[in-house]
Amino acid sequence: MGVEASNQHAEQALEYELVDEILPLNEAVAQAEVIVMAVPVNVQVNLLPQILDMVTNQIVMDMGSTKSDVIEAVQHHPNRGRYVATHPMWGTEYSGPKAAVRGAFEGKAVILCNRKDSDADAVEWVENMYQKIGMRIVDMEAKAHDLHVAYVSHISHITSFALANTVLEKEKVESAIFQIASAGFESTVRLAKSNPEMWVPIFLQNKVNILDVLTEHIDQLTKFKDYITNSDKENLQSLISDANKINRIIK
Amino acid sequence: MGVEASNQHAEQALEYELVDEILPLNEAVAQAEVIVMAVPVNVQVNLLPQILDMVTNQIVMDMGSTKSDVIEAVQHHPNRGRYVATHPMWGTEYSGPKAAVRGAFEGKAVILCNRKDSDADAVEWVENMYQKIGMRIVDMEAKAHDLHVAYVSHISHITSFALANTVLEKEKVESAIFQIASAGFESTVRLAKSNPEMWVPIFLQNKVNILDVLTEHIDQLTKFKDYITNSDKENLQSLISDANKINRIIK
């Protein structure tokens, strides 16, 4: 059963057989055993308490990219235990039912946050489900989650958006870049196609961590700028050799 | 026939059958019909004049990422016509013979610079060769080339290097990011593994264009920082909607 605010997405979800039927929220919650929330994080902080008001013994889980605010929003809810906070580390720059990719989560990490605040049976069901689709489960407290995802996800989106705007702003002759844009460029700007409805709320909810990383990132770019300005080979060489150490983290 | 400064790369090139034999430069040039230079751009400005000193009727072409300096270095050379300036728009973050990928150039663009300064027979041979391996030929003057590649290639490398340094600087607990780093992160930082011996000379030769783009990029990131600081939803939404227009350029 699906619940969907957009008529177009509701139709697509039926057409792709992602759901058998589209229902109003209260009917779907009443009939469901497990409720999976996949909504922008600003919607989630308002919607999760409403859903927890409705549940009796159902399990509620989410897919949100930030965790502190939503967990705080239900911290004292009598049905808090039915909610399991999760964040599967997979996504693309596309959204909506058309963006679904079969088997996408296989081999990927999923973060479970503050598991001690969830009922044991709910956590067990969610863990089993994620393991059955081949995901690696990583436990984190919400605060640590929000810090780490600022580094491994949120900042990448900001640099990509900013890079796209840089190029679009300066390159008035689009046909030139269109003709010669290569794989390196595509890989650094593809995230710039991501949906603002999803990303603005993430940037605002994770503001403190993101500003910390973004300030550091601007400082790092300013080092490049200064060393290039001064034709300082040695320091450029060191900056790049330092950056090469990222191969300890990504293959 | 290969000419190679590194013994290890010479051995690998033979082992992978990229070349049949490794020779000293003067012997290889004397025996060759076509000379393909694939060296860092700072080496190229010194090596190309030496090679042109040695050629009689051979064709000399290069693969360099910058074009103004190297073309200027041989502008008045009596054998200038034998040199065809080219830049195939394909590469990865890896270098050396091991990084070769069969069929990599197929369907990609190759930029030919200042073709009127090269002999007609040399340009024709080079064009035929690139077309036979499936490349699209794009003509540009060297100055335009250096400007456009600053946008579609050089800046992507700087943002990637800087992003890697940001994460490595701030994330002391590497195991956390190692566990959860996802495809989005990988795609924005993979270029950070690129070789400093290749990239420092590119940044210095294309300094003016790169500083122009980099300054704009830092301004764009600062906009994100300011709007996030002020929780300015409307302006963040506009920045991201603008960035989404990159889908006109990349699929």
Side-chain angles (χ1 to χ4, degrees):
Chain A
M1 293 169 281
V3 178
E4 176 55 66
S6 148
N7 287 336
Q8 193 195 7
H9 285 180
E11 281 167 30
Q12 288 171 354
L14 287 166
E15 183 188 338
Y16 299 139
E17 301 181 352
L18 301 179
V19 295
D20 297 315
E21 53 182 334
I22 298 287
L23 293 175
L25 179 64
N26 57 346
E27 288 181 37
V29 170
Q31 292 180 48
E33 288 169 35
V34 176
I35 296 141
V36 181
M37 299 179 68
V39 293
V41 294
N42 59 329
V43 175
Q44 189 162 298
V45 289
N46 295 317
L47 190 59
L48 179 59
Q50 295 172 39
I51 292 177
L52 288 183
D53 288 346
M54 294 187 244
V55 303
T56 50
N57 203 39
Q58 297 97 314
I59 294 164
V60 186
M61 55 183 284
D62 77 316
M63 316 250 113
S65 283
T66 54
K67 284 289 171 277
S68 295
D69 282 12
V70 65
I71 284 177
E72 200 183 310
V74 296
Q75 198 56 45
H76 303 294
H77 195 286
N79 291 332
R80 168 64 182 92
R82 304 317 298 157
Y83 166 56
V84 183
T86 85
H87 182 194
M89 298 305 294
W90 182 87
T92 69
E93 61 274 35
Y94 305 111
S95 2
K98 277 187 171 177
V101 175
R102 188 181 295 272
F105 286 176
E106 203 179 320
K108 305 299 190 303
V110 55
I111 305 173
L112 250 67
C113 287
N114 300 30
R115 68 157 66 206
K116 65 179 188 331
D117 296 337
S118 304
D119 295 345
D121 71 297
V123 172
E124 193 187 341
W125 189 95
V126 170
E127 280 196 306
N128 277 342
M129 184 277 291
Y130 277 130
Q131 279 162 351
K132 275 189 182 152
I133 60 172
M135 300 198 86
R136 279 181 294 112
I137 291 166
V138 178
D139 278 300
M140 273 186 199
E141 288 303 293
K143 271 185 188 303
H145 167 276
D146 288 0
L147 174 68
H148 293 308
V149 295
Y151 286 95
V152 301
S153 168
H154 303 172
I155 187 70
S156 291
H157 284 79
I158 292 176
T159 58
S160 237
F161 289 132
L163 186 58
N165 284 340
T166 301
V167 172
L168 293 169
E169 178 67 30
K170 299 288 262 184
E171 273 275 359
K172 302 300 182 191
V173 191
E174 284 184 20
S175 65
I177 38 176
F178 180 80
Q179 281 183 312
I180 65 174
S182 64
F185 179 71
E186 289 198 20
S187 106
T188 41
V189 298
R190 75 169 176 85
L191 297 178
K193 294 187 271 180
S194 303
N195 187 349
E197 307 298 327
M198 172 173 170
W199 283 96
V200 172
I202 291 172
F203 295 159
L204 296 183
Q205 276 196 13
N206 206 15
K207 179 170 168 168
V208 175
N209 291 315
I210 288 174
L211 285 176
D212 193 31
V213 191
L214 185 49
T215 301
E216 174 69 28
H217 185 52
I218 292 172
D219 288 349
Q220 292 289 345
L221 284 168
T222 305
K223 283 189 196 175
F224 273 92
K225 187 177 163 182
D226 292 344
Y227 296 153
I228 293 173
T229 302
N230 300 323
S231 297
D232 183 341
K233 283 181 210 180
E234 287 68 30
N235 273 317
L236 278 173
Q237 170 89 31
S238 307
L239 278 188
I240 297 180
S241 299
D242 287 346
N244 286 169
K245 293 176 190 147
I246 201 72
N247 65 13
R248 289 202 306 257
I249 291 162
I250 61 168
K251 300 284 144 39
Chain B
M1 292 169 283
V3 178
E4 175 56 64
S6 147
N7 287 336
Q8 192 195 9
H9 284 179
E11 281 167 30
Q12 288 171 355
L14 288 165
E15 183 190 336
Y16 299 140
E17 300 181 353
L18 301 179
V19 295
D20 297 315
E21 54 183 332
I22 298 287
L23 292 176
L25 179 65
N26 56 347
E27 289 180 35
V29 170
Q31 292 180 49
E33 287 170 35
V34 176
I35 296 141
V36 181
M37 299 180 68
V39 293
V41 293
N42 59 328
V43 175
Q44 189 161 299
V45 289
N46 296 316
L47 189 59
L48 179 60
Q50 295 173 36
I51 292 177
L52 288 183
D53 288 345
M54 294 187 242
V55 303
T56 49
N57 204 38
Q58 297 97 314
I59 294 164
V60 186
M61 55 183 284
D62 77 316
M63 315 251 113
S65 283
T66 54
K67 283 289 170 277
S68 296
D69 282 11
V70 65
I71 285 178
E72 200 184 308
V74 296
Q75 199 56 44
H76 304 293
H77 196 286
N79 291 332
R80 168 65 183 90
R82 304 316 298 155
Y83 166 56
V84 182
T86 86
H87 182 194
M89 297 306 292
W90 182 87
T92 69
E93 61 274 36
Y94 305 111
S95 1
K98 277 187 170 177
V101 174
R102 188 182 295 273
F105 286 177
E106 202 179 322
K108 306 299 190 304
V110 55
I111 306 173
L112 250 66
C113 286
N114 301 29
R115 68 156 68 207
K116 65 179 187 331
D117 296 337
S118 304
D119 294 346
D121 71 298
V123 172
E124 193 187 341
W125 190 95
V126 170
E127 280 197 306
N128 278 340
M129 184 277 292
Y130 278 129
Q131 279 162 350
K132 275 189 183 153
I133 60 171
M135 300 198 84
R136 279 182 295 113
I137 291 166
V138 178
D139 278 301
M140 274 186 200
E141 288 303 294
K143 271 186 188 302
H145 167 275
D146 288 0
L147 173 68
H148 293 308
V149 294
Y151 286 95
V152 301
S153 168
H154 302 172
I155 187 70
S156 291
H157 284 79
I158 293 176
T159 58
S160 239
F161 289 133
L163 186 58
N165 285 340
T166 302
V167 172
L168 293 169
E169 178 67 31
K170 299 288 260 181
E171 273 274 359
K172 302 301 181 190
V173 191
E174 284 184 20
S175 65
I177 36 176
F178 182 80
Q179 281 182 313
I180 65 174
S182 64
F185 179 71
E186 289 198 20
S187 106
T188 40
V189 298
R190 75 171 177 83
L191 298 178
K193 295 186 270 180
S194 303
N195 187 349
E197 307 299 327
M198 171 172 171
W199 284 96
V200 172
I202 291 172
F203 295 159
L204 296 183
Q205 275 196 13
N206 207 15
K207 179 170 168 168
V208 174
N209 291 316
I210 288 174
L211 285 175
D212 194 30
V213 191
L214 186 49
T215 301
E216 175 69 27
H217 185 52
I218 292 172
D219 288 349
Q220 292 288 346
L221 283 168
T222 304
K223 282 188 195 173
F224 272 92
K225 187 177 162 183
D226 292 344
Y227 297 152
I228 293 172
T229 302
N230 301 322
S231 297
D232 183 341
K233 284 182 210 179
E234 288 67 30
N235 273 316
L236 279 173
Q237 170 89 32
S238 307
L239 278 188
I240 297 179
S241 298
D242 288 345
N244 287 169
K245 293 175 189 149
I246 201 73
N247 66 12
R248 289 203 306 257
I249 292 162
I250 61 168
K251 300 286 146 37

